[in-house]
Amino acid sequence: SVLTQPPSVSAAPGQRVTISCSGSSSNIGNNYVSWYQQLPGTAPKLLMYENNKRPSGIPDRFSGSKSGTSAALGITGLQTGDEADYYCGTWDSSLSVTVFGGGTQLTVL
Amino acid sequence: EVQLLESGGGLVQPGGSLRLSCAASGFTLRNYAMNWVRQAPGKGLEWVSVLSGGGDTTSYADSVKGRFSLSSDNSKNTLFLQMNSLRADDTAIYYCARGRIVGAAFWLDPWGQGTLVTVSS
């Protein structure tokens, strides 16, 4: 994948976890990042847009940030219902396509 | 309520063709950049194609360029993905998603529930 994410992260209920997304100047470095949550057996859902904006209905336990060519998704107060695959995405100005990270599987132990 | 509903998936032999549909409700499809994103079994998301708002520009991933083509029927508020010369590695769930563009920001919302395409003999 053009964007690099850790394959998996895990933490206990109530804890905090951060999922990283690394890219380059042609994508994250010069464009905004969005994040998507895919619960098991369902379609992806928008979780974060413009780096750190939450759509209506997304709790403030979820936060986003970007610095240089990397972005991160933070989740606090982990719940078992947060177990899902998380994907970062952005526009790549050199490739002129939308690019995604390989996805990170979150396990809440 | 803004919704997208895909249809048209199924089992097709290698080299065959299939046309996917994405019916939009709650908004006017031609006012947005409409995308197809696919997900092979057990794999991550792969962007496939986009039809620009207004429908005058299309763009495709290199993996499908020359084989897939986008079109729309504004009277039915429906997007189509014509897939020709299908290969085994095209096997995936195909999602339709509405694109939002604000300056250098781009995101996909909402997504449809997906339709499964299986290419196998």
Side-chain angles (χ1 to χ4, degrees):
Chain A
S1 301
V2 174
L3 306 180
T4 301
Q5 297 180 235
S8 64
V9 295
S10 62
Q15 296 299 303
R16 173 189 169 90
V17 69
T18 300
I19 298 173
S20 61
C21 175
S22 177
S24 68
S25 58
S26 66
N27 41 67
I28 293 178
N30 284 284
N31 295 290
Y32 288 86
V33 176
S34 53
W35 289 89
Y36 304 89
Q37 178 192 57
Q38 186 175 33
L39 296 168
T42 69
K45 181 180 82 170
L46 179 69
L47 195 63
M48 200 74 57
Y49 66 101
E50 291 188 43
N51 300 335
N52 56 14
K53 295 182 180 179
R54 286 176 286 105
S56 173
I58 302 299
D60 59 7
R61 299 188 298 107
F62 295 88
S63 63
S65 64
K66 190 188 103 167
S67 178
T69 60
S70 294
L73 175 71
I75 312 173
T76 60
L78 278 171
Q79 303 173 0
T80 55
D82 296 331
E83 287 199 331
D85 293 325
Y86 292 85
Y87 295 90
C88 58
T90 188
W91 178 257
D92 191 295
S93 305
S94 294
L95 300 174
S96 294
V97 299
T98 296
V99 292
F100 293 102
T104 298
Q105 182 178 55
L106 169 63
T107 301
V108 182
L109 302 169
Chain B
E1 182 185 4
V2 173
Q3 280 190 322
L4 297 168
L5 184 63
E6 303 95 333
S7 61
L11 175 63
V12 61
Q13 292 189 338
S17 298
L18 212 55
R19 188 175 84 153
L20 305 184
S21 300
C22 171
S25 58
F27 71 99
T28 301
L29 187 144
R30 67 174 179 268
N31 292 338
Y32 294 85
M34 295 302 300
N35 296 256
W36 288 94
V37 177
R38 69 184 181 183
Q39 185 172 35
K43 301 296 185 182
L45 303 176
E46 179 189 14
W47 176 83
V48 173
S49 61
V50 62
L51 178 65
S52 66
D56 56 343
T57 304
T58 55
S59 181
Y60 302 91
D62 286 345
S63 57
V64 306
K65 201 171 292 184
R67 300 186 299 122
F68 290 12
S69 64
L70 275 173
S71 62
S72 65
D73 184 334
N74 292 332
S75 68
K76 296 182 178 179
N77 215 31
T78 300
L79 177 73
F80 302 103
L81 181 67
Q82 179 66 42
M83 304 186 297
N84 300 326
S85 302
L86 283 162
R87 311 184 304 220
D89 62 1
D90 293 318
T91 294
I93 297 174
Y94 284 73
Y95 296 103
C96 173
R98 185 179 73 173
R100 301 295 306 276
I101 302 171
V102 178
F106 176 77
W107 65 93
L108 298 172
D109 180 56
W111 298 58
Q113 88 291 347
T115 187
L116 177 62
V117 173
T118 303
V119 184
S120 174
S121 55

